[in-house]
Structures are given as structure tokens and as C-alpha cells.
Amino acid sequence: MRWPGATARVLLGLTAGAIVGLSLAHWLPATAVTAVAIAQPIGKLWLSGLQMTVVPLVLSLVILGVATAS
């Protein structure tokens, strides 16, 4: 049996997460609130890490582009 490609795995994970999250919110709202309270700081840390990586790269590309244009 062949494993699906990376894109299919990502889409499968997103779909499974959405189904689990929506069903949890529908049938066990108190548990969903607890899950959100646990997951939200982790998500904020992840986004902050991405911003710490991407913002300096974009800024350096803009500075490099302006410097080479003149």
C-alpha cells in the first residue's frame, strides 16, 4: 500500500481536525472551551515564531531591492 502525498496528508489532517473540533463543540461545549484554552497559547507561540522568522526576511529583501535598484 502506498502512502498519500504530503498535500493529501495535510488536507486530511485539516479535515479531521475540523470534524473533531466541530463535533466536540457541538456535543461537549465545556470540553471544547477547555481545549481552546489549551490550544490557543500554543497557536499564538507558533504564529509569533513565524513572524520572528518572516518579518526580518521580508525587511531584508525590501532593503536589498531598494539598494540594487539605485
Side-chain angles (χ1 to χ4, degrees):
M1 181 175 162
R2 190 166 170 231
W3 288 97
T7 304
R9 284 183 285 180
V10 168
L11 290 175
L12 184 65
L14 285 171
T15 305
I19 290 170
V20 169
L22 289 172
S23 62
L24 186 67
H26 181 68
W27 283 300
L28 300 168
T31 307
V33 170
T34 305
V36 167
I38 293 170
Q40 191 170 13
I42 297 169
K44 285 188 179 194
L45 282 172
W46 176 258
L47 288 178
S48 295
L50 285 176
Q51 286 177 343
M52 286 175 32
T53 304
V54 171
V55 171
L57 286 173
V58 170
L59 181 65
S60 63
L61 284 173
V62 168
I63 290 171
L64 187 64
V66 168
T68 57
S70 59

